[in-house]
Amino acid sequence: MGYPDDMKVHPKVTGFFDEATNTISYVVQEPDGPACAVIDTVLDIDYAAGRISYDSADEIIAFVQENGLQVEWLIETHVHADHLSAAPYLQEKLGGKIGIGEKITEVQEVFGKVFNEGTEFQRDGSQFDALFKDGDTYEVGAMTCFAMATPGHTPACMVHVAGDAAFVGDTLFMPDGGSARCDFPGGDAGELYDSIQKVLSMPDAMRLFICHDYGPGGRAIAWETTVAEERERNIHLAGGTSREEFIRVREERDATLAMPKLIIPSLQVNMRAGDIPTDGEGRPVLKVPLNGL
């Protein structure tokens, strides 16, 4: 389908790097006004101690307040498996609606079973304020944004595009980092290849903002590239890599990867739109299912 690209709109983008999880969160501001969206926030957790804190989220809150911005959206590009979302905390402090792709329901169904959640855990996406379909548009002040479905890493992955800026989640990394793993439940390397082709069909100058960077080869952390750079230099795609070759390389690579250190707490929290589950007495708790992943 066609997407409403508008390369004449140049939003202001500020990235916030979380060293503990190698995650980049973003504040995306309309070019000539105070409205903004916040993308892929991080809730700090000391997993060994069972403690959460809010330093990463507070940094974003301070930036928003100091610059007189108005948060209209809190966007999750997908259900993250490597960090916890701070969306409810930011919503309480700053407002805004929490949005994610409509196929969150598939993720909730799969991991509702993994974590043996009862009937009180709704699997209809109702924990979120908005569920985006492929091609849906939404407003950030006077700026029109749209969501592009990009399954492969997870079924609910979406790229969010605001003018000449696209926030790609885990679909792509920096060119020397390649692409996202596809071995989680619901992942599919062939689907990821198809999704990446959709991203790379956007204009060459489209700015791409990456959700994670690990500084391959010891280089400095980076999180902004372009469609042209990814098409020309991405280590999993450059040179006209075929779909079959991409699937082979991606699946071979995935077979060597360990599970993310925070996958168990992350999935429980993020499939709830960032809310922490509680026990029968209302105390925040996390489960550790054995041999479930």
Side-chain angles (χ1 to χ4, degrees):
M1 66 175 294
Y3 296 98
D5 296 335
D6 188 351
M7 297 295 289
K8 296 178 182 178
V9 176
H10 189 74
K12 302 172 185 176
V13 179
T14 305
F16 297 82
F17 179 68
D18 178 63
E19 186 174 0
T21 63
N22 289 83
T23 302
I24 303 95
S25 306
Y26 296 98
V27 173
V28 190
Q29 183 185 348
E30 62 176 334
D32 299 307
C36 70
V38 183
I39 299 179
D40 290 336
T41 60
V42 175
L43 179 68
D44 304 310
I45 183 169
D46 182 340
Y47 195 25
R51 294 190 181 94
I52 60 170
S53 56
Y54 304 95
D55 291 350
S56 296
D58 285 340
E59 183 180 1
I60 293 175
I61 291 170
F63 175 85
V64 167
Q65 293 175 336
E66 288 167 4
N67 288 278
L69 305 183
Q70 299 172 3
V71 175
E72 298 192 353
W73 285 95
L74 298 158
I75 299 295
E76 302 290 350
T77 56
H78 63 293
V79 175
H80 308 276
D82 43 21
H83 72 271
L84 284 66
S85 169
Y89 179 74
L90 269 77
Q91 186 177 54
E92 178 185 355
K93 302 291 185 180
L94 300 173
K97 293 182 287 187
I98 302 174
I100 199 169
E102 64 173 344
K103 291 192 176 180
I104 177 62
T105 56
E106 296 182 19
V107 177
Q108 290 175 327
E109 186 64 33
V110 169
F111 290 106
K113 293 176 181 177
V114 170
F115 292 104
N116 194 29
E117 302 291 354
T119 56
E120 70 278 3
F121 172 59
Q122 299 298 312
R123 294 157 171 83
D124 58 2
S126 57
Q127 300 88 343
F128 298 82
D129 298 312
L131 302 182
F132 297 111
K133 296 182 174 67
D134 187 33
D136 276 355
T137 61
Y138 57 97
E139 306 301 318
V140 176
M143 178 172 63
T144 298
C145 307
F146 70 88
M148 174 191 295
T150 53
H153 175 56
T154 80
C157 287
M158 299 197 96
V159 169
H160 286 261
V161 183
D164 70 345
F167 301 85
V168 300
D170 286 7
T171 299
L172 282 168
F173 296 152
M174 294 296 290
D176 58 350
S179 59
R181 65 191 297 169
C182 299
D183 58 330
F184 298 150
D188 184 278
E191 282 193 337
L192 181 62
Y193 180 87
D194 296 339
S195 294
I196 290 172
Q197 299 312 306
K198 289 169 64 175
V199 175
L200 298 185
S201 71
M202 292 192 291
D204 283 357
M206 179 70 75
R207 296 181 290 160
L208 302 182
F209 293 91
I210 311 300
C211 187
H212 295 285
D213 188 63
Y214 302 91
R219 68 153 168 75
I221 297 296
W223 53 73
E224 180 179 348
T225 180
T226 65
V227 164
E229 289 172 351
E230 289 283 5
R231 190 184 298 118
E232 294 169 7
R233 300 195 295 111
N234 187 285
I235 58 173
H236 292 165
L237 299 156
T241 302
S242 70
R243 191 176 193 270
E244 292 72 22
E245 177 66 7
F246 178 86
I247 291 171
R248 183 189 67 79
V249 170
R250 185 67 266 169
E251 290 182 346
E252 288 181 358
R253 170 66 173 156
D254 290 348
T256 70
L257 299 177
M259 282 290 175
K261 293 179 181 179
L262 294 178
I263 188 169
I264 287 177
S266 295
L267 291 175
Q268 290 175 81
V269 169
N270 295 340
M271 70 182 183
R272 290 176 164 85
D275 282 331
I276 298 173
T278 57
D279 63 16
E281 298 180 4
R283 296 173 300 188
V285 295
L286 295 167
K287 298 177 181 177
V288 180
L290 301 180
N291 302 321
L293 293 173

